[in-house]
Amino acid sequence: MQITDVKIRKTFTEGPMLAVASITLDGVFVVHDVKVILANDRRFIVMPSRKNPDGTYRDIAHPITADFRAMLEECVLAAYEKALAEAPAEEIL
């Protein structure tokens, strides 16, 4: 499986959420609402999730293997860095 596109949909300057992304896999399947988070001085991604009736959250879609998660995280974080570098300061929300 190949990550064929990563789009940074929105960036934020306040709070732990830095961005929201969409990922295209093999040019035929999209996962929306992947979040870029900053916590403990580290950036990482959080997969889209749904709140359960008991207040906990459960991922809607997620990587099965650690290797694919690492590849996915690397691609999303690289796209985030590129979006920051290319965007004029007034476009970063």
Side-chain angles (χ1 to χ4, degrees):
M1 181 170 293
Q2 296 296 314
I3 300 165
T4 51
D5 191 33
V6 177
K7 288 189 170 86
I8 301 300
R9 298 288 183 194
K10 189 167 185 176
T11 58
F12 304 92
T13 58
E14 307 231 352
M17 186 163 47
L18 302 174
V20 177
S22 293
I23 303 161
T24 304
L25 303 170
D26 289 339
V28 296
F29 189 81
V30 176
V31 178
H32 295 291
D33 295 333
V34 176
K35 296 165 189 72
V36 177
I37 304 291
L38 176 65
N40 298 323
D41 297 323
R42 185 175 94 74
R43 290 181 184 151
F44 58 94
I45 63 169
V46 175
M47 299 305 292
S49 61
R50 175 180 298 151
K51 190 173 185 176
N52 294 321
D54 66 0
T56 60
Y57 288 86
R58 182 177 177 96
D59 286 350
I60 295 168
H62 59 88
I64 300 287
T65 67
D67 288 342
F68 189 74
R69 177 175 280 281
M71 183 174 69
L72 188 61
E73 188 166 82
E74 182 180 316
C75 288
V76 173
L77 293 178
Y80 172 71
E81 291 296 330
K82 183 178 177 186
L84 286 183
E86 292 176 352
E90 63 273 6
E91 286 186 15
I92 300 175
L93 302 175

